[in-house]
Amino acid sequence: MQTDQKAIEQRMNKIVPYRRHDAASQPSSLYEPYRATVRRAPRQPLVLLPHTLSEITGPVYGHNDITETDSDLTRQHPGEALGERIIVTGRVLDDNGRPVPRTLVEIWQANAAGRYFHDRDNHPAPLDPNFTGAGRILTDENGAYRFTTIKPGAYPWKNHDNAWRPAHIHFSLFGPAFATRLVTQMYFPGDPLFAFDPIFQSIPDERARQSLISSFDLAITRPEWALGYQFNIILRGREATPFET
Ligand SMILES: [Fe+2]
């Protein structure tokens, strides 16, 4: 029994935790111009959770249910989705520059008119019966993913007088472990609403803010079919980088 315990402890000692985020690269939990943060920001100092076996080795789940149309949001219904067709592609890397293969990337977004397919979105813009606005894909061996979708519209959100969100696509990634989970938003270059958006502005570091803006890439476009944007995503890497064997 004691031997088992010792073996477990030895294995635990080999666990290399994930690097903590640089605070300036993350949105402030309290940013008054973003009104919802006033209600939900923690009032007590944060407690750092140790990265133990469960945070570092999970989640483990089956990947069999993902189909081809899950990553083509324009072909999930009998008719064509309305709007400007786009390809969004990039790589998921860790902050040691290594690809994160076979990881789940999920997206959700408003339609071309800026309306979500959701009960609580009732702003006066049309729904598109051929566009749900949700997709998912697994990264390949090189950490690459690729979605075909519709460029989302800006939408009003009542945070303050005349508040509009810049066009964006929500991203969720599990990465290789719970400790690397990332939920973020991708924006489009040159959006005039950046300066007025407290969600975008709640990230203190300018470089981190810019990293959320995709880049237009003519090489990704498909002639006569779709424009192309590149968006690379960096997840936490391990604190100690093991040498390659
Ligand atoms: Fe949104």
Side-chain angles (χ1 to χ4, degrees):
M1 192 68 188
Q2 206 176 357
T3 321
D4 286 353
Q5 186 61 33
K6 212 164 185 171
I8 290 170
E9 275 171 22
Q10 274 172 356
R11 274 208 299 276
M12 293 286 289
N13 288 339
K14 282 189 190 152
I15 292 173
V16 181
Y18 283 92
R19 200 170 289 122
R20 303 280 175 185
H21 288 298
D22 170 9
S25 73
Q26 302 301 308
S28 313
S29 58
L30 176 63
Y31 185 71
E32 281 179 15
Y34 179 8
R35 273 183 8 204
T37 67
V38 176
R39 290 195 306 276
R40 71 182 182 212
R43 302 210 167 133
Q44 302 290 327
L46 298 183
V47 177
L48 279 185
L49 280 176
H51 289 177
T52 62
L53 201 59
S54 55
E55 284 76 29
I56 286 176
T57 56
V60 177
Y61 47 86
H63 296 153
N64 303 334
D65 296 334
I66 297 180
T67 65
E68 199 201 325
T69 53
D70 284 355
S71 60
D72 186 344
L73 288 74
T74 67
R75 291 196 297 126
Q76 295 174 345
H77 296 276
E80 279 279 337
L82 294 173
E84 183 183 331
R85 198 182 291 111
I86 59 171
I87 294 162
V88 177
T89 183
R91 290 177 78 202
V92 182
L93 304 169
D94 71 16
D95 60 8
N96 298 318
R98 294 178 175 186
V100 183
R102 296 175 300 282
T103 195
L104 184 65
V105 181
E106 298 171 289
I107 60 170
W108 63 99
Q109 62 166 96
N111 68 19
R115 175 110 183 242
Y116 281 101
F117 185 77
H118 191 281
D119 287 348
R120 287 183 61 187
D121 186 350
N122 49 19
H123 103 266
L127 279 172
D128 177 353
N130 290 308
F131 189 75
T132 306
R136 58 187 182 163
I137 193 169
L138 286 180
T139 56
D140 69 13
E141 291 305 307
N142 299 313
Y145 72 88
R146 184 184 182 90
F147 288 104
T148 303
T149 184
I150 295 293
K151 188 170 182 191
Y155 60 80
W157 64 303
K158 295 191 171 77
N159 179 74
H160 54 274
D161 186 39
N162 199 16
W164 292 82
R165 295 295 331 280
H168 60 276
I169 297 178
H170 296 264
F171 272 73
S172 162
L173 294 99
F174 281 93
F178 288 117
T180 60
R181 176 105 162 97
L182 176 72
V183 179
T184 191
Q185 298 182 24
M186 180 202 103
Y187 298 91
F188 292 86
D191 197 312
L193 291 168
F194 291 146
F196 308 102
D197 181 44
I199 294 185
F200 183 73
Q201 296 295 338
S202 68
I203 300 165
D205 182 69
E206 170 67 16
R207 240 182 73 193
R209 278 202 298 276
Q210 295 300 321
S211 73
L212 298 181
I213 304 172
S214 58
S215 48
F216 173 73
D217 187 341
L218 198 64
I220 298 168
T221 61
R222 253 183 73 191
E224 315 296 322
W225 184 253
L227 293 184
Y229 293 88
Q230 186 173 63
F231 182 57
N232 296 323
I233 301 164
I234 300 180
L235 303 179
R236 289 178 187 189
R238 301 274 190 174
E239 279 182 356
T241 306
F243 286 100
E244 302 280 0
T245 50

